Amino acid sequence: MAQATHLYAVAIGSNRRHVRYGRPSGVVEAAIARLDADFTLFDASPIILNKAVGGAGRDFANAVALVESRLEPCEMLGAVKTIEREFGRRPGRRWSARVLDLDLVAWDGHRYHSRTLTIPHPRLDEREFVLGPLAAIAPDWRIDGKKTPRQLAMRLGKRRPAR
């Protein structure tokens, strides 16, 4: 019996230069290429630049890639964490600057929870820097079986006070 192929939304972020890929936007481009090489790239959003959140310091370059893989969620998490390490990510403070951050934010199996992974990402509905790119490439994907990235982004926009 053939193993099922899953669709994953992978949030990509960088706010540190890389010796080979340069500025954070170059790191994000290289990460998208790596995801394409390791899996099957279905689509990738444009790269956006964002202010850092928490104590992360420098501004971020962010994007979202949709990739197809035969890996189950925990195996997929291991694969993207391996890519982070190969790009030079080292364990450290939670909100510190990082060369590459890859998060599994959604998958076609709707909800998944283990000791090390929760999909959809628990704070997805708070993260404009993920929802915007995800809505750009998969606006009507029912990521939790109910809400779409477009709906979540609209709700987030309504919760933000006018400036």
Side-chain angles (χ1 to χ4, degrees):
M1 183 166 111
Q3 216 176 355
T5 300
H6 300 292
L7 183 66
Y8 289 93
V10 181
I12 307 164
S14 173
N15 73 337
R16 279 189 48 206
R17 288 186 65 82
H18 186 277
V19 70
R20 182 173 179 190
Y21 306 116
R23 300 166 68 126
S25 58
V27 174
V28 172
E29 286 178 11
I32 291 168
R34 175 63 185 272
L35 289 167
D36 186 29
D38 287 6
F39 308 104
T40 301
L41 183 67
F42 184 78
D43 203 354
S45 74
I47 297 170
I48 59 173
L49 302 177
N50 299 292
K51 294 286 180 196
V53 175
R58 302 175 187 152
D59 293 347
F60 271 85
N62 294 98
V64 172
L66 298 178
V67 297
E68 293 177 324
S69 172
R70 293 187 186 279
L71 298 177
E72 292 299 317
C74 282
E75 296 170 307
M76 187 67 174
L77 178 64
V80 298
K81 295 305 167 190
T82 296
I83 294 170
E84 284 182 349
R85 286 189 302 277
E86 290 174 2
F87 271 67
R89 173 104 186 241
R90 300 292 176 252
R93 281 192 341 230
R94 180 173 181 158
W95 295 101
S96 63
R98 60 206 70 152
V99 172
L100 182 61
D101 186 30
L102 299 174
D103 288 323
L104 301 179
V105 295
W107 79 308
D108 59 5
H110 301 303
R111 294 194 174 278
Y112 179 87
H113 182 77
S114 74
R115 191 174 52 75
T116 57
L117 177 63
T118 300
I119 305 174
H121 192 284
R123 290 176 300 286
L124 177 62
D125 63 347
E126 302 167 8
R127 295 187 167 174
E128 188 173 11
F129 60 89
V130 176
L131 287 173
L134 183 56
I137 57 175
D140 299 318
W141 184 15
R142 297 208 178 270
I143 56 174
D144 63 357
K146 300 173 190 162
K147 294 178 244 73
T148 68
R150 180 183 309 166
Q151 291 168 326
L152 291 171
M154 286 175 48
R155 285 183 185 174
L156 182 60
K158 289 177 183 177
R159 289 196 317 235
R160 296 212 185 272
R163 293 182 185 199

